[in-house]
Amino acid sequence: MTTAALAVSDTPDGRRVLALSGRLDATTLRQLWDDAHRALAEAPTRPVTVDAAGIEYCDGAGIALLVDLVAHPRAAPVEVTNLRPDHDVLFRQFDPERLEHDLDPEPKRAPVVEEIGRTAAGIWRDIRNQVEFIGEMVAALGSAIIRPADVRWRDVWRICERVGADGLPIVALISFLLGLILAFQSAVPMRRFGAEIFVADLVGIAMVRELGPLMTAILLAGRTGAAFAAEIGTMHVNQEVDALTTMGLDPVRFLVVPRIIAALLMTPLLTLFAMLVGLAGGALTMQSFAIPLVTFLKEVDSAVTPTDFMAGFVKSFVFAITIAGVGCLRGLETAAGASAVGDSTTRAVVSGIILLVVIDGIFAVIYFVLDI
Amino acid sequence: MATVEPVIRVENLTAGYDETVILRGLNFVVNPGEVFVILGGSGCGKSTLLKHMISLHPPLEGRVLINGRDITAADGDERREIMRGFGVMYQSGALFGSMTLLENVRLALEEYTDLPVAAMDLIARMKLELVGLDAFTGHLPSEISGGMQKRAAIARAMALDPGILFLDEPSAGLDPITSAELDALIRRLQRTLGVTFVVVTHELASIFAIADRVIMLDKRTQGILAEGDPKVLRDTSDNPWVRQFFRREAELAETPA
């Protein structure tokens, strides 16, 4: 017999008998569990005997049923009889009274006001941490400028390779496609006015002033910022950051400065590359609109001024510090636990991209005011 | 007992995080050249105490003096100076994953000395030899076993020849033989170099093998339950919890107060 069965009967002296039989395990109990409780509920005032004589096999789930039947609050008592000795040992391990109460209930949700307060305090702490970090970072960068010999240049070159050389293909691909698409999308409507030549102006100014720097920065936030956060976060979880601290080595100088220097060196280079490749994408599209390369280049040359170029190029330095700084900060903030590194990485990318867009907006305003 | 100046003096230390107090009002000293063991059941705050002693966390109250100087109040260069007086081996080893063993050990030398590279290499190699890892200097931490990582971490902690070594659970996660080898290493270093060891552990075998003196922490009172020579405590303590701990009778130790 591989199933469990329940037979309910009432004795003349007013007692209800629940005879359990068969195999009581997690797979056979589904129906029985409800039936047994219903049998109890139908006769709330009768004393109940659970006759376990027919049980052939009983695992933890079966014992749980017995415990539950005994522990269920009701007017008349429930007793278990004829339990086989080996099952009885299992059954007696548990105190039904104790199991009825949740000894360690999950904390109740705090009132909304408290939640708001805690969240606000958390945001405030976050801001303070960030200001503190920016301070430490600036101080460490300052002392790196004063004493360049103290910078771990070997780490800088290693990180440069990962940020710059390894990031080049994706930056090139995205910028090329961006230039291509931008040119195509604008050339189609502009051809109706015979103005496709001005697509070169559009692609040139857009790539150099805005899209080259911003797209590169966003790609790096996803690639490099996340990598920094994960790397430093893992070091934090492995107590490597603690080890640095107790060796008297400042984690900011040791971990953050090389990364910021590497980002500062590589981001502008990648940005330059993105601008050029974006223009190449635009040029390719324009070929198909019967505008030769020379004409395209001449038009770009007349439309894009050195000021435009500088406006875009300067931004890339600020973006570099933002990406590396946010990545490192999130890494250092990593809490304990398996999901912590994942959280820091996510936070690095999300807050990195938000900051980039905000900073880009600020630059737009400044350039507008300065009439650049 | 002769009056020796203790190397570590913990005064009225209340340890914890934010609002949670884990240990309250601790007072004890560690004498030079001894192996001092902090022991207690899981979750009683052994590692927390260690973190406070090496100033990774500011104490809620009280202070810790290392070689007579208050590390809890020190800042900047002074703090770094005090920290040079000790080395720490973390529970996981915490070796820098991107560096070889030699580079790990050499790091502190690079940062603190002007020695020529060849000299730093030699010193690092010697430290690794002390822990029996001179044949693995070019390996990355991920390429060696857990026991070797801990030994390498001890070598790294000894790079600048500190007078005190803090070891956090040296035998955690090691098989009994490897763990016994580590105990023998600790004993040997203490004997030959005169280093003071502060060891956090709950391994009974380890405690009897290495400890000159122990303090036993207690979760219930958040304080020190007993202090002294472990063998004496085992044989003569009239505190039931202490006796139970040393005799490994889980029953009583698990029963809530």
Side-chain angles (χ1 to χ4, degrees):
Chain A
M1 190 172 177
T2 54
T3 55
L6 171 71
V8 182
S9 58
D10 293 328
T11 59
D13 59 349
R15 198 166 254 286
R16 173 157 278 210
V17 177
L18 271 58
L20 288 166
S21 57
R23 183 182 171 87
L24 265 62
D25 65 21
T27 52
T28 59
L29 273 177
R30 178 66 197 90
Q31 187 59 39
L32 207 73
W33 193 281
D34 292 342
D35 290 348
H37 280 92
R38 203 170 309 118
L40 245 64
E42 279 166 4
T45 51
R46 293 184 187 209
V48 169
T49 302
V50 178
D51 183 2
I55 299 177
E56 291 163 8
Y57 172 86
C58 183
D59 70 359
I63 298 293
L65 173 64
L66 296 177
V67 169
D68 197 38
L69 290 175
V70 174
H72 224 72
R74 72 197 285 282
V78 178
E79 57 170 9
V80 177
T81 58
N82 299 331
L83 199 56
R84 256 170 42 188
D86 53 337
H87 296 155
D88 195 53
V89 172
L90 295 176
F91 179 63
R92 301 253 168 254
Q93 288 182 98
F94 304 102
D95 177 0
E97 285 277 308
R98 223 173 124 81
L99 286 170
E100 265 309 280
H101 310 288
D102 192 350
L103 295 175
D104 187 15
E106 277 184 28
K108 266 196 229 128
R109 268 190 79 87
V112 179
V113 180
E114 194 182 321
E115 288 276 338
I116 294 173
R118 279 186 191 282
T119 311
I123 293 172
W124 176 239
R125 207 168 37 234
D126 211 33
I127 292 172
R128 268 184 40 183
N129 276 348
Q130 282 166 23
V131 172
E132 204 180 301
F133 177 77
I134 291 170
E136 281 178 31
M137 191 173 88
V138 170
L141 279 176
S143 71
I145 293 169
I146 298 168
R147 284 194 299 272
D150 280 2
V151 176
R152 296 187 56 82
W153 291 105
R154 228 159 31 122
D155 286 353
V156 173
W157 304 136
R158 189 175 54 83
I159 298 164
C160 274
E161 186 188 335
R162 290 218 319 265
V163 176
D166 296 354
L168 193 58
I170 180 81
V171 170
L173 178 71
I174 299 288
S175 323
F176 184 77
L177 290 177
L178 202 66
L180 201 91
I181 295 164
L182 197 62
F184 185 76
Q185 295 278 39
S186 45
V188 173
M190 277 165 105
R191 189 166 54 174
R192 290 169 55 195
F193 306 102
E196 35 306 31
I197 184 64
F198 294 112
V199 170
D201 300 39
L202 187 149
V203 173
I205 292 175
M207 282 313 296
V208 168
R209 272 191 82 111
E210 198 58 43
L211 291 177
L214 190 63
M215 282 312 290
T216 309
I218 288 178
L219 283 174
L220 287 186
R223 217 183 154 273
T224 306
F228 287 176
E231 214 174 346
I232 296 180
T234 309
M235 288 184 74
H236 191 98
V237 173
N238 286 344
Q239 292 186 296
E240 288 174 44
V241 176
D242 286 349
L244 277 179
T245 310
T246 43
M247 283 165 85
L249 307 176
D250 179 13
V252 172
R253 180 176 80 75
F254 206 83
L255 299 174
V256 179
V257 168
R259 284 173 173 76
I260 289 185
I261 294 178
L264 267 174
L265 292 175
M266 289 298 118
T267 311
L269 286 182
L270 286 174
T271 302
L272 268 182
F273 203 79
M275 293 172 179
L276 285 175
V277 174
L279 288 176
L284 185 71
T285 306
M286 294 321 287
Q287 296 278 318
S288 64
F289 283 84
I291 295 191
L293 185 62
V294 182
T295 320
F296 179 85
L297 287 180
K298 266 209 144 31
E299 189 60 28
V300 170
D301 186 37
S302 69
V304 181
T305 61
T307 319
D308 287 328
F309 169 73
M310 284 315 287
F313 196 59
V314 164
K315 277 199 278 196
S316 70
F317 288 92
V318 180
F319 289 161
I321 294 187
T322 310
I323 296 161
V326 170
C328 293
L329 170 67
R330 295 309 186 202
L332 287 173
E333 279 177 351
T334 305
S339 60
V341 176
D343 287 345
S344 320
T345 316
T346 311
R347 277 155 56 92
V349 175
V350 172
S351 48
I353 290 178
I354 292 173
L355 266 178
L356 287 176
V357 176
V358 170
I359 290 172
D360 197 49
I362 295 173
F363 266 110
V365 174
I366 292 175
Y367 289 161
F368 176 74
V369 172
L370 296 179
D371 201 16
I372 292 173
Chain B
M1 197 171 135
T3 50
V4 273
E5 191 55 35
V7 286
I8 302 173
R9 185 185 284 281
V10 173
E11 289 177 357
N12 195 29
L13 179 77
T14 296
Y17 308 101
D18 296 329
E19 286 147 36
T20 326
V21 172
I22 295 173
L23 294 162
R24 209 180 286 277
L26 300 190
N27 283 293
F28 61 89
V29 297
V30 179
N31 296 315
E34 70 178 349
V35 177
F36 182 84
V37 172
I38 299 167
L39 60 91
S42 298
C44 71
K46 300 186 296 286
S47 292
T48 304
L49 173 59
L50 187 85
K51 279 183 186 156
H52 281 76
M53 287 172 79
I54 59 180
S55 191
L56 271 183
H57 286 288
L60 299 176
E61 227 176 88
R63 56 183 200 153
V64 176
L65 285 93
I66 292 187
N67 294 321
R69 297 161 77 179
D70 184 359
I71 189 170
T72 46
D75 220 349
D77 283 343
E78 193 193 354
R79 189 175 137 94
R80 243 192 315 280
E81 192 61 33
I82 301 173
M83 281 181 162
R84 269 194 69 167
F86 62 79
V88 186
M89 188 213 81
Y90 291 88
Q91 206 164 333
S92 58
L95 295 167
F96 303 118
S98 57
M99 300 182 187
T100 64
L101 297 195
L102 189 77
E103 287 167 338
N104 261 288
V105 181
R106 203 178 53 192
L107 179 66
L109 294 160
E110 283 170 10
E111 293 293 326
Y112 283 106
T113 70
D114 298 326
L115 292 169
V117 177
M120 289 194 284
D121 275 358
L122 178 66
I123 296 172
R125 227 174 270 284
M126 282 162 65
K127 301 295 177 202
L128 283 164
E129 192 184 344
L130 278 180
V131 298
L133 287 175
D134 45 336
F136 294 88
T137 48
H139 282 59
L140 289 173
S142 55
E143 297 166 345
I144 58 174
S145 71
M148 287 159 116
Q149 286 183 16
K150 296 202 175 191
R151 267 149 55 196
I154 293 180
R156 183 179 68 181
M158 292 194 310
L160 293 169
D161 290 312
I164 311 167
L165 282 178
F166 290 92
L167 312 185
D168 190 3
E169 307 251 1
S171 39
L174 299 185
D175 66 80
I177 296 170
T178 315
S179 163
E181 281 169 7
L182 209 56
D183 290 342
L185 173 68
I186 294 169
R187 262 295 170 207
R188 182 158 56 80
L189 294 175
Q190 182 249 0
R191 232 181 11 250
T192 53
L193 306 177
V195 179
T196 309
F197 278 89
V198 177
V199 184
V200 164
T201 186
H202 54 225
E203 287 288 324
L204 274 180
S206 257
I207 294 163
F208 290 120
I210 59 174
D212 293 312
R213 218 152 53 80
V214 301
I215 54 168
M216 188 169 166
L217 300 179
D218 184 31
K219 200 153 87 179
R220 297 167 196 84
T221 60
Q222 299 184 320
I224 298 174
L225 192 61
E227 183 173 352
D229 184 321
K231 296 186 186 71
V232 176
L233 285 180
R234 176 191 57 190
D235 299 335
T236 65
S237 175
D238 44 12
N239 186 316
W241 300 110
V242 177
R243 287 209 310 271
Q244 293 302 333
F245 185 89
F246 283 119
R247 289 174 199 170
R248 289 193 115 145
E249 285 166 33
E251 200 81 354
L252 186 58
E254 289 296 319
T255 311

